[in-house]
Amino acid sequence: MDALTVRDVNVTGHRVFLRADLNVPLDDGRITDDTRIRASLPTIVYLLERGASVVLASHLGRPKGKVNDALRLRPVAERLSELLGRPVRMTGDAIGPGVAVAVDKLRPGDLLLLENLRFHAAEEANDPAFAKELAAFAELYVNDAFGAAHRAHASTEGITHFLPAVAGLLMEREVDALGRLLKRPERPFHAVIGGAKVSDKLDVLHALLSRCQAVLVGGGMANTFLAARGASLGKSLVEGDQLDNASRILVEARRKRVRLMLPTDAVVAPQIHHRARTRTVAINEVPADQMVVDIGPQTIATYTEYLEKARTVFWNGPMGVFEMPQMAEGTNAMARFLAKRSARAGVVTIVGGGDSVAAVEHLGLGPKMTHVSTGGGASLEFLEGKILPGVAALLPAGAVVNLGPVS
Ligand code: ADP
Ligand code: MG
């Protein structure tokens, strides 16, 4: 990547503020997916093994600037200590005199996890005073939180005004892997886009039309494209206020000679419910009392056959309501197909997006893909070609950071 990384600095004996993305999904205080914690391990271990003292910080959920007991990082500390095989101490707050005392006591190789940064409104407001307090805990700032890099917050951007700032190993991997899609991806480069809404993905759709040779659309957003072409889709999720935008994208695709593919059949159900009965219909035969909940078998076959030619595939957004097993086949089939193409044919397969990544990880197929991004919104903004403030704030490659003698 074009930024300095943690490997460019001698950290031994120095105090490091490590911003990670430990924002894991919780269900009643239990972590339902620890992918982001595991993805953060390499940098944590790297720093500890080299004898740095590590002050680790993250946000969790959306406490909106107030202390929320349900969003404390305690479960994260516990999972982290299981993964590291050592106890992980944590503080009761992200800043304050108590934290400063705990930080002062850190020895080389010690790790301390700060409480949820977003308990302070100053974090999301990128308040310089708050950023300065965080910076006072360390001599070096390492950003490994790719998933938060599209936000200019105190712990992702503000702090870099007070400390030398470098990328962590996960940040580097994310930027390099997604960067491959922006810089000379091997062609054909096709995108598979799904998920609930067109409105969430307008910008990335436009960006992909300039980069890809084909865009295969599934999920709820395909309904809006089909409706824009005049299809009647019963009770399906259709964004009525996005029909013009969808039409514009269809026109743009034609103008740019990008093949934009839409489903030809669908799995339908009377409602989204785990006991709802499903059946398969042609896309122009969706009954008035049913809704589209997944792409159908014919669409799966057409899409995967078309993707056989691709050398690079980016996938964002599930093909259906994958949370319900009887509505998950389109998503699961896509995941299995891409994993196989990557493992057997060396196709570059990159998956980004919270729900699509969860689907892939749930099937245990993450390791078979070329790259599974931990950044949902961040990966999309990156692909749109936007500059991520958390990345832009890092020191450029080639800069020299000397932390001086060990105190
Ligand atoms: P990602 O997080 O991968 O970017 P999104 O958040 O855009 O994906 O969309 C995921 C959601 O879309 C899932 O909760 C899924 O149930 C929903 N979804 C997919 N297909 C449909 C559909 N046909 N109707 C309603 N919701 C859908
Ligand atoms: Mg999502």
Side-chain angles (χ1 to χ4, degrees):
M1 78 185 284
D2 302 328
L4 216 58
T5 79
V6 68
R7 282 183 280 102
D8 298 315
V9 186
N10 181 0
V11 297
T12 305
H14 293 287
R15 251 194 264 138
V16 175
F17 186 100
L18 173 58
R19 173 59 158 104
D21 179 6
L22 307 173
N23 182 32
V24 289
L26 290 174
D27 181 16
D28 211 3
R30 261 189 38 256
I31 297 170
T32 53
D33 176 8
D34 66 356
T35 307
R36 281 181 164 163
I37 304 179
R38 285 184 289 109
S40 302
L41 287 175
T43 305
I44 297 172
V45 170
Y46 180 96
L47 289 167
L48 294 176
E49 277 180 351
R50 277 159 190 77
S53 315
V54 179
V55 179
L56 178 62
S58 176
H59 73 284
L60 179 63
R62 296 193 169 137
K64 305 238 166 81
K66 287 203 222 59
V67 174
N68 177 339
D69 284 331
L71 294 175
R72 289 194 179 276
L73 278 163
R74 172 60 57 198
V76 171
E78 281 165 12
R79 183 73 190 115
L80 192 54
S81 73
E82 283 166 23
L83 292 166
L84 288 170
R86 57 187 268 180
V88 173
R89 284 201 305 128
M90 73 170 290
T91 57
D93 196 350
I95 53 163
V99 182
V101 169
V103 170
D104 269 340
K105 286 191 191 140
L106 291 176
R107 313 268 312 140
D110 282 353
L111 174 66
L112 180 69
L113 175 64
L114 304 186
E115 185 53 280
N116 196 342
L117 291 161
R118 290 194 189 165
F119 285 174
H120 295 267
E123 159 67 358
E124 292 187 78
N126 198 4
D127 175 349
F130 182 72
K132 197 173 176 183
E133 280 195 64
L134 296 176
F137 297 146
E139 299 150 87
L140 176 73
Y141 168 73
V142 177
N143 190 350
D144 215 20
F146 178 73
H150 58 318
R151 305 278 180 243
H153 292 166
S155 70
T156 62
E157 197 278 337
I159 191 169
T160 68
H161 297 277
F162 303 101
L163 285 178
V166 302
L169 303 172
L170 174 62
M171 175 70 87
E172 182 185 31
R173 201 152 58 81
E174 291 273 10
V175 169
D176 286 346
L178 294 167
R180 281 172 83 167
L181 299 179
L182 297 181
K183 295 175 206 147
R184 278 184 281 111
E186 203 186 326
R187 291 175 165 225
F189 170 22
H190 295 163
V192 181
I193 301 290
K197 294 180 181 170
V198 172
S199 52
D200 288 343
K201 313 254 165 107
L202 276 176
D203 291 341
V204 79
L205 281 164
H206 281 295
L208 290 170
L209 289 180
S210 302
R211 301 186 193 281
C212 299
Q213 286 75 63
V215 176
L216 285 59
V217 183
M221 84 153 72
N223 301 340
T224 303
F225 280 103
L226 291 162
R229 289 206 319 203
S232 42
L233 295 167
K235 294 199 296 175
S236 300
L237 168 75
V238 171
E239 284 177 282
D241 61 344
Q242 294 296 321
L243 297 177
D244 286 347
N245 280 330
S247 299
R248 240 172 266 141
I249 288 171
L250 292 170
V251 170
E252 188 185 337
R254 223 171 299 136
R255 191 164 46 79
K256 291 187 166 149
R257 295 174 198 284
V258 176
R259 176 113 186 236
L260 193 146
M261 295 172 81
L262 293 173
T264 53
D265 65 344
V267 175
V268 296
Q271 78 257 65
I272 295 175
H273 188 272
H274 68 279
R275 280 201 303 262
R277 281 177 61 134
T278 56
R279 62 194 162 105
T280 300
V281 298
I283 206 68
N284 52 4
E285 286 170 3
V286 177
D289 61 345
Q290 304 271 314
M291 59 206 297
V292 172
V293 293
D294 196 7
I295 56 173
Q298 188 186 66
T299 306
I300 296 174
T302 315
Y303 281 13
T304 52
E305 201 179 311
Y306 196 80
L307 289 169
E308 292 272 351
K309 288 183 274 198
R311 293 304 304 162
T312 305
V313 181
F314 173 68
W315 178 23
N316 166 274
M319 297 290 97
V321 185
F322 74 105
E323 294 91 340
M324 316 283 154
Q326 75 277 38
M327 307 175 187
E329 185 48 28
T331 303
N332 292 350
M334 186 58 69
R336 287 193 298 265
F337 172 80
L338 293 180
K340 194 178 75 199
R341 293 298 291 159
S342 183
R344 297 216 192 124
V347 172
V348 173
T349 57
I350 298 189
V351 189
D355 292 291
S356 14
V357 166
V360 166
E361 294 293 346
H362 183 73
L363 295 168
L365 294 174
K368 293 231 167 90
M369 304 288 183
T370 308
H371 183 68
V372 176
S373 179
T374 55
S379 63
L380 294 185
E381 289 199 19
F382 188 92
L383 282 184
E384 287 159 25
K386 291 195 184 135
I387 306 291
L388 307 187
V391 177
L394 303 174
L395 289 167
V400 177
V401 173
N402 188 341
L403 300 178
V406 176
S407 50

